[in-house]
Amino acid sequence: MSKAIKLVSQSKCYGGFQCVYEHESSILKCTMKFGCYLPPQHEKKKNLPIVYYLSGLTCTEQNYIMKSGFQRYAAKHGIVVINPDTSPRGFDLPGEHESYDFGSGAGFYVNATEEPWKTNYRMYSYVTGELPTVVASNFNVNVGKSAISGHSMGGHGALIAALRNPGKYKCCSVFAPISNPSECPWGVKAFTGYLGENKSSWKQYDATFTAKEYDGPKLEILLDQGEDDPYLNDKQLLPENLANACSTNKHINLNFRMQPGYDHGYFFIMSFMEDHFNFMAKHIC
């Protein structure tokens, strides 16, 4: 596995640097980009905590960097923030670019098992394995002090990463996650395409199922959901199903907050970003 990275861009921000790097991914078999915010503490202090942020459908690494305002809070707490792209790029597989909710920009953070996706669409292994190894090899971070966060499809990915890897992430912070993908149109489409028709294989990538089976160190989860989110009304997100599953597991503490008047977009995310960084800092700083 190559651990070499190349700097694509760098801008000073709140005393630190907002960077974008690229590297050759052996898991995905393509060049991948990821955002990396290095807080001002990075120059003088080693073993900084890490937050991984996973974006939603159609996004690249740029959306979170440009729209969320997270850098202010990462600088305050001295947290390195890593946010990868949402899918492999550059293969032009049949049907890869035909819809916004499958293929390019929509990797769903699973390891595909179906052709033609299984060779490259392995975002679960990339996010939980290869990317952290690359980060640990290149930056002054403490891998034992990691948190994971995400929005929508990325919220689904963050939940799955935390629930399937007990102790790897000290906490999980999510905005409007796809909480029960086996039961919603987005998830059924993606899981059928990437994982096949056997729905029993879907459960490993469904937070509502994995929450019931989680047996590890106490996992703290903060979930914010806008009450005026159109995808909530369309039954794409189903956070109530996750809440019910978590309520039966003593190893999970879910703080589920409904936010009146907020929708699914980045104005919603930036409104509660400070809360989420304060929450994560409590567990990793």
Side-chain angles (χ1 to χ4, degrees):
M1 179 187 299
S2 173
K3 300 174 185 177
I5 59 175
K6 177 182 177 182
L7 181 65
V8 175
S9 65
Q10 176 176 284
S11 299
K12 193 160 187 178
C13 184
Y14 291 106
F17 289 93
Q18 178 60 64
C19 306
V20 173
Y21 290 92
E22 66 180 19
H23 73 112
E24 297 304 316
S25 169
S26 61
I27 292 289
L28 307 179
K29 298 177 174 55
C30 68
T31 302
M32 286 293 287
K33 291 181 179 179
F34 64 89
C36 174
Y37 180 71
L38 300 175
Q41 298 87 339
H42 187 262
E43 293 184 359
K44 297 181 179 179
K45 185 178 179 181
K46 294 184 178 181
N47 299 322
L48 293 177
I50 320 165
V51 164
Y52 292 92
Y53 179 88
L54 308 182
S55 291
L57 289 167
T58 76
C59 292
T60 69
E61 79 288 342
Q62 288 295 320
N63 298 70
Y64 183 59
I65 291 171
M66 300 302 293
K67 296 181 178 181
S68 71
F70 80 87
Q71 293 92 343
R72 177 194 296 267
Y73 312 113
K76 173 185 175 181
H77 292 292
I79 297 172
V80 173
V81 180
I82 305 295
N83 62 293
D85 200 350
T86 54
S87 76
R89 303 283 179 173
F91 299 107
D92 293 326
L93 299 173
E96 189 175 22
H97 310 303
E98 291 181 359
S99 60
Y100 79 96
D101 54 359
F102 186 81
S104 182
F108 261 85
Y109 304 101
V110 303
N111 285 345
T113 57
E114 299 298 298
E115 296 288 0
W117 314 101
K118 66 179 184 180
T119 300
N120 309 106
Y121 276 68
R122 301 181 57 79
M123 288 298 293
Y124 175 79
S125 288
Y126 177 71
V127 165
T128 61
E130 184 176 25
L131 183 60
T133 299
V134 169
V135 170
S137 299
N138 288 279
F139 305 105
N140 294 331
V141 295
N142 183 343
V143 296
K145 293 185 176 181
S146 299
I148 193 161
S149 182
H151 169 233
S152 195
M153 179 186 72
H156 143 74
L159 288 165
I160 291 302
L163 290 165
R164 289 186 56 182
N165 296 274
K168 185 178 182 70
Y169 309 97
K170 297 302 182 184
C171 60
C172 181
S173 138
V174 287
F175 301 88
I178 302 174
S179 299
N180 192 185
S182 297
E183 300 297 331
C184 77
W186 277 339
V188 170
K189 178 178 179 178
F191 284 8
T192 301
Y194 293 136
L195 305 174
E197 298 285 350
N198 184 358
K199 292 188 176 183
S200 64
S201 68
W202 299 4
K203 292 182 179 181
Q204 63 183 313
Y205 296 115
D206 189 316
T208 295
F209 288 106
T210 54
K212 295 175 183 177
E213 299 177 354
Y214 178 81
D215 183 15
K218 192 66 167 280
L219 179 60
E220 301 286 341
I221 302 174
L222 174 60
L223 190 164
D224 273 326
Q225 173 63 60
E227 285 188 359
D228 288 358
D229 186 331
Y231 302 116
L232 180 67
N233 296 329
D234 288 348
K235 304 298 182 182
Q236 294 281 20
L237 305 177
L238 303 174
E240 65 278 7
N241 293 358
L242 175 65
N244 289 336
C246 290
S247 69
T248 66
N249 191 330
K250 65 182 181 180
H251 300 288
I252 300 174
N253 182 27
L254 171 66
N255 184 5
F256 176 24
R257 309 191 307 185
M258 294 296 296
Q259 302 293 358
Y262 287 92
D263 60 18
H264 196 72
Y266 266 89
F267 290 121
F268 158 59
I269 293 171
M270 71 171 65
S271 296
F272 299 99
M273 188 58 65
E274 184 175 14
D275 284 0
H276 282 247
F277 266 83
N278 288 341
F279 163 75
M280 291 185 286
K282 179 180 178 181
H283 296 285
I284 63 175
C285 292

